[in-house]
Amino acid sequence: MNRILAAMLAAASCATMAQAQVGPSAPVAQDAPVYTLDQAVSAAGGSAPAAEAATAGIDAARAGRTVAGLRPNPVVQGQVENVIGSGPYRGVRSAETTVGFAIPIELGGKRGARVAVANAQLSRAEIQAAIIAADVRLQVTQLYVEAVAADRRVMTARDQARIASDALRAASVRVQAGRASPLEQQRADVARINADANVERQLRLAEAARANLARRIGRPIDGLLDDTLLDRLPDVNVYGPLAPVNTTGTLALAAANADFSIAEAGVRLARANRVPDLNVGPSIRRLEATNDMAAVFSVSIPIPVFNNGRAAIAQATAQRTQADAQRRVTALDIEQAITDAQAQAANAATTARAASGPALAAAQEAARIARIGYREGKFGQLELLDAERTLAETRVAAIDALANYQNARAQVERLTARAPNGGNQ
């Protein structure tokens, strides 16, 4: 009788396993090409609205640098004197008409100061584009990891449903043979119903995860996802004692340095604006009374009485001090964030290695022994159900731990991402 029962269970196990692997609910064909994480990141980088905004920001900064290097436009001016008066100036008989133009001459290095501000703003725009690209990579990585983990949860749920169906058949055989109470069959049926319902739930979550990933990358996912991504754990000795953090060249610190460079260039521009500009230009004057022509040369310079530029310099200096303080705060914050992220990644790696290794192996062995003992009448159904429940929970915990490590590793890579040109400002 035991041999017949074992044969029935083996045949049912093979059939349900094959159905779980190539069932109609599979999202893509099993022979489809693997759609890698790098492909997803590349697709998202080209379709993300944030990346488009960053590109437009760089274009605007380059145009601003061109504008900053332009010289002031000349001014055409004209005037008519000695008209509509009294005596000999009645009417326009004594009119003097002057036509000419004035050329503004910038002094104090204003043009160079404006260009320096524009260059600093362009560098900041390029760093912002790198920040957005790093953020997009982090977001896509997290969505990709979640989609892979969701697919693996579906496989686990299907396997648990297969095991529950096998347990139900075993309980039915035991009840029909008079070796067990009908209550065992009812318990097994409840476990099978719950397992099937869990498959449906996990399928919906997997579809949602794939839809979110496809929405982020701006295209449908044609192939299988790289399931091996979750299993890429570091060596045991990779995460030892935390090393000192070097934030030089990171995106966050480069952005703070760029803000300081803009503020510093603003101080130079404010100082240059204190120097008054000259307006010079030749003109031609026509004397109506004698019909003669004469040349006129004009020079004008503003008198800094009400606005001498000191307030603008004080404002720019305060902004530079603020940017310098913010730069130091950013350095401290990024050091703390990297330290915390590295610790979380190390802990996640330890948890993932244990959950997917010894803990999972022990749970699988316990469930195997419980199945054999239940078929041979050595263990009761409650022991079997408890072992199967422990195995299911351990498998899900292993998937969660592997996904948590991959997300933690991606977070570390985001925080330590290097700025373009090394972040030197």
Side-chain angles (χ1 to χ4, degrees), residues 128-392:
Q128 184 62 30
I131 290 175
I132 290 176
D135 289 340
V136 168
R137 181 173 186 85
L138 175 61
Q139 294 166 359
V140 173
T141 299
Q142 291 174 338
L143 291 174
Y144 192 95
V145 168
E146 178 55 31
V148 172
D151 287 345
R152 189 169 291 189
R153 292 189 191 100
V154 170
M155 295 175 59
T156 299
R158 284 174 170 166
D159 196 35
Q160 293 302 129
R162 173 187 60 79
I163 293 173
S165 297
D166 294 345
L168 175 59
R169 280 188 286 271
S172 300
V173 172
R174 287 170 58 89
V175 170
Q176 292 174 2
R179 298 171 54 194
S181 167
L183 183 60
E184 288 194 9
Q185 184 175 356
Q186 294 298 323
R187 289 199 193 102
D189 193 25
V190 171
R192 191 263 311 167
I193 293 174
N194 290 334
D196 290 342
N198 186 49
V199 171
E200 294 183 10
R201 289 194 297 269
Q202 297 303 327
L203 281 172
R204 293 191 189 97
L205 292 176
E207 291 175 0
R210 279 181 171 265
N212 289 334
L213 178 60
R215 189 177 298 110
R216 174 64 65 176
I217 65 178
R219 52 157 292 179
I221 301 174
D222 300 329
L224 295 169
L225 299 180
D226 186 6
D227 182 72
T228 62
L229 176 67
L230 288 185
D231 300 321
R232 298 172 189 170
L233 292 175
D235 296 334
V236 178
N237 297 326
V238 168
Y239 289 110
L242 295 179
V245 176
N246 182 14
T247 61
T248 303
T250 57
L251 285 171
L253 190 58
N257 289 335
D259 291 336
F260 176 77
S261 297
I262 294 174
E264 193 170 32
V267 173
R268 176 185 169 187
L269 179 60
R271 289 173 178 170
N273 287 333
R274 285 200 65 190
V275 180
D277 296 334
L278 289 177
N279 288 284
V280 299
S283 302
I284 297 296
R285 175 169 294 177
R286 180 177 180 275
L287 289 78
E288 189 71 26
T290 61
N291 201 25
D292 292 328
M293 307 291 289
V296 177
F297 294 93
S298 61
V299 178
S300 64
I301 183 171
I303 302 175
V305 176
F306 302 107
N307 182 8
N308 57 14
R310 292 180 180 175
I313 292 178
Q315 179 185 15
T317 302
Q319 290 173 345
R320 181 180 61 182
T321 303
Q322 180 185 22
D324 184 44
Q326 186 61 44
R327 178 173 59 173
R328 296 195 301 270
V329 170
T330 300
L332 295 176
D333 290 343
I334 194 64
E335 286 180 3
Q336 178 180 346
I338 292 176
T339 299
D340 293 343
Q342 288 177 342
Q344 291 174 2
N347 290 337
T350 301
T351 303
R353 191 178 292 108
S356 61
L360 182 59
Q364 289 173 338
E365 180 64 14
R368 186 187 69 84
I369 294 174
R371 294 183 199 119
I372 296 174
Y374 178 69
R375 288 197 301 266
E376 295 179 354
K378 296 180 180 179
F379 295 147
Q381 188 187 41
L382 294 180
E383 287 82 357
L384 174 63
L385 294 177
D386 183 67
E388 297 291 3
R389 182 172 57 253
T390 300
L391 175 58

